[in-house]
Amino acid sequence: MRRTRWFATAVLWLLACAPSPAGDLPAAPKRVPVIDCTDLYHPHQDVGDNFDLIAAYALPEVDLRAVILDVTEPYRHAVAHHENPAYRDPTGPRDPGFIPVLQLNYLFGRNVPCGTAPFARMKSPADKMLDAPRFQQFGIDLMLQVLRQSEAKVEIVSFGSCRPVAVAYNREPALVRAKVRRVHVCAGASSPDYLEWNVMLDPHAMVCLLRSDLPIALYPCATKDGPFAYGPHNGFWKLPDLRFVERMDPRLKSYLAFAFSRSARMDFLRFVEEPPPEDILKQVYPKPHNVWETAVWAQVADRCLVRRAEGACRLVPRSEVRRDDRVLPNELRPCRLEVRDDGLFRFERTEGPTNVFIYDRGDPVENEKAMREALPELYVGFRTR
């Protein structure tokens, strides 16, 4: 009997010590369920939305469950007149960005569902928008459905007016509280004196979220000097050109050529199957490109911005940070908010309990210098199926 027990113990020990079938391959990254609320249009209003959506599909840590199109009615017209003349946009008309989503589903072999939220502004911070046209309800329905069905808590990223998340919260607050790990709000200004673009799209939505008890990560898109200014809490930085796109997956190059050229071709899937149109891309490569979303995707995917011992900068999974890497600031700091009725807010750091965190990248010039190398290398590594 003792001999039998010894043999069984020995076999179990050998099995435990034996190499796995995967050998020394790294473990598959943990995938985080994500809902992406984006003010993505077709043709684009800001081509950065098309560009950044690639990360939602290609980052191995992200399990993209839904894309909610955050559309505002004036921007569907030939000239979008905003209260602030600086935001008048003569490049329309356009509609919700279903086509870019279909293209990326096609390229990555996915079937990520997509729906649009109401086009009109909320009437108050508590508005459930039940009177919106039925088609414009599908995005809210989809968000709530994903939350109900998800076993793990879901990260929500919001690039736009915050309206879809605010309306979903007003309709089913208990569900949203229970199933949302964090809402990443890419909007507002780090100064209480500047009314930023996304807040102006729907001030009531911003007020609703920032006064809620939801866990919020706040990434301001402007400083007191505007959206293209540099500050430790503003996520904005600029790529001097897009020449690295030449090294990207050929089908992603075609996808970007379609977006940048504002193509009206009806065969939008065939377009991304074809070789990248070099005449279009040669016009794109020298152009500078404004970026706001990188910090959000780094947080969601739990990637660190590092400077390697040899000097290269990369966005790497936390588990792949080396001992000799210098990890650059790309943090969320706890804070308290004071939110005005027009959506402007004031924040201050706190060590006490809070549900709100503010983005902090330290020295914005150093951050931009590192990102200018790290983001292109990340995108060059993305592959379609």
Side-chain angles (χ1 to χ4, degrees):
M1 187 71 172
R2 260 185 214 168
R3 197 173 290 174
T4 303
R5 284 181 184 168
W6 177 89
F7 179 77
T9 303
V11 168
L12 290 172
W13 182 84
L14 287 170
L15 287 172
C17 294
S20 68
D24 294 328
L25 293 175
K30 182 181 178 183
R31 302 189 73 214
V32 180
V34 175
I35 296 172
D36 187 352
C37 301
T38 171
D39 52 349
L40 174 72
Y41 291 85
H42 177 72
H44 68 81
Q45 180 188 54
D46 175 1
V47 76
D49 298 314
N50 304 67
F51 182 89
D52 291 314
L53 189 60
I54 294 174
Y57 279 84
L59 282 166
E61 300 91 345
V62 172
D63 179 8
L64 184 61
R65 298 286 179 89
V67 176
I68 313 300
L69 300 173
D70 180 7
V71 172
T72 300
E73 179 61 35
Y75 299 99
R76 298 179 59 230
H77 300 278
V79 178
H81 292 281
H82 202 282
E83 288 85 344
N84 185 339
Y87 287 115
R88 289 187 180 174
D89 181 2
T91 60
R94 59 180 69 83
D95 260 324
F98 288 101
I99 286 176
V101 174
L102 289 171
Q103 287 176 321
L104 289 176
N105 273 341
Y106 184 65
L107 292 179
F108 285 93
R110 304 282 297 281
N111 192 23
V112 177
C114 181
T116 187
F119 298 168
R121 284 179 169 186
M122 296 171 68
K123 299 182 183 69
S124 73
D127 191 2
K128 298 181 180 180
M129 302 201 79
L130 295 170
D131 55 347
R134 190 72 197 100
F135 182 80
Q136 297 174 34
Q137 305 275 0
F138 293 156
I140 309 300
D141 294 344
L142 175 58
M143 184 184 298
L144 295 172
Q145 177 185 337
V146 169
L147 293 179
R148 285 190 205 96
Q149 294 177 348
S150 180
E151 294 181 3
K153 287 200 171 187
V154 178
E155 303 266 5
I156 297 180
V157 296
S158 175
F159 308 111
S161 75
C162 299
R163 189 183 307 122
V165 192
V167 173
Y169 174 73
N170 286 340
R171 291 187 187 181
E172 296 199 33
L175 172 67
V176 177
R177 286 192 199 101
K179 289 297 190 74
V180 171
R181 182 176 178 271
R182 184 169 282 167
V183 183
H184 299 262
V185 177
C186 194
S190 57
S191 167
D193 306 314
Y194 185 85
L195 192 58
E196 186 265 335
W197 161 275
N198 292 307
V199 178
M200 281 195 292
L201 291 175
D202 199 323
H204 289 317
M206 191 71 167
V207 171
C208 171
L209 279 193
L210 296 191
R211 288 180 180 169
S212 77
D213 54 359
L214 294 174
I216 301 287
L218 189 53
Y219 306 77
C221 292
T223 71
K224 63 181 177 58
D225 298 316
F228 306 108
Y230 290 82
H233 303 291
N234 181 13
F236 167 75
W237 60 281
K238 179 178 282 190
L239 282 162
D241 60 63
L242 291 164
R243 297 185 194 282
F244 72 90
V245 173
E246 174 62 30
R247 298 186 287 130
M248 285 179 61
D249 179 294
R251 300 206 298 172
L252 289 176
K253 288 167 63 177
S254 294
Y255 164 83
L256 288 173
F258 185 91
F260 274 97
S261 66
R262 307 177 66 85
S263 175
R265 273 180 52 169
M266 298 297 290
D267 55 341
F268 53 86
L269 297 183
R270 183 178 296 279
F271 190 107
V272 297
E273 287 178 336
E274 296 173 350
E278 292 300 328
D279 58 329
I280 294 174
L281 291 173
K282 284 178 181 177
Q283 297 174 37
V284 170
Y285 293 153
K287 293 181 178 180
H289 183 72
N290 298 327
V291 189
W292 277 276
E293 295 186 17
T294 313
V296 179
W297 290 114
Q299 286 292 333
V300 169
D302 197 22
R303 292 210 169 206
C304 297
L305 178 62
V306 302
R307 188 181 300 281
R308 306 239 118 132
E310 68 275 15
C313 293
R314 297 290 185 268
L315 276 162
V316 300
R318 190 173 299 277
S319 61
E320 294 180 17
V321 175
R322 304 171 185 167
R323 289 184 179 180
D324 57 356
D325 284 339
R326 181 188 168 208
V327 180
L328 300 178
N330 202 52
E331 311 296 335
L332 295 175
R333 310 289 188 189
C335 69
R336 294 187 185 279
L337 288 182
E338 221 176 83
V339 186
R340 291 182 5 184
D341 291 343
D342 59 3
L344 287 169
F345 60 85
R346 184 187 303 275
F347 71 91
E348 61 178 19
R349 294 279 302 278
T350 181
E351 299 301 322
T354 183
N355 63 311
V356 183
F357 293 76
I358 192 86
Y359 173 59
D360 186 347
R361 59 177 170 175
D363 181 348
V365 175
E366 183 181 32
N367 175 271
E368 179 181 67
K369 184 178 178 181
M371 284 293 192
R372 283 178 170 181
E373 183 179 353
L375 185 71
E377 291 306 312
L378 180 68
Y379 267 61
V380 167
F382 289 157
R383 291 291 177 267
T384 59
R385 294 187 180 181

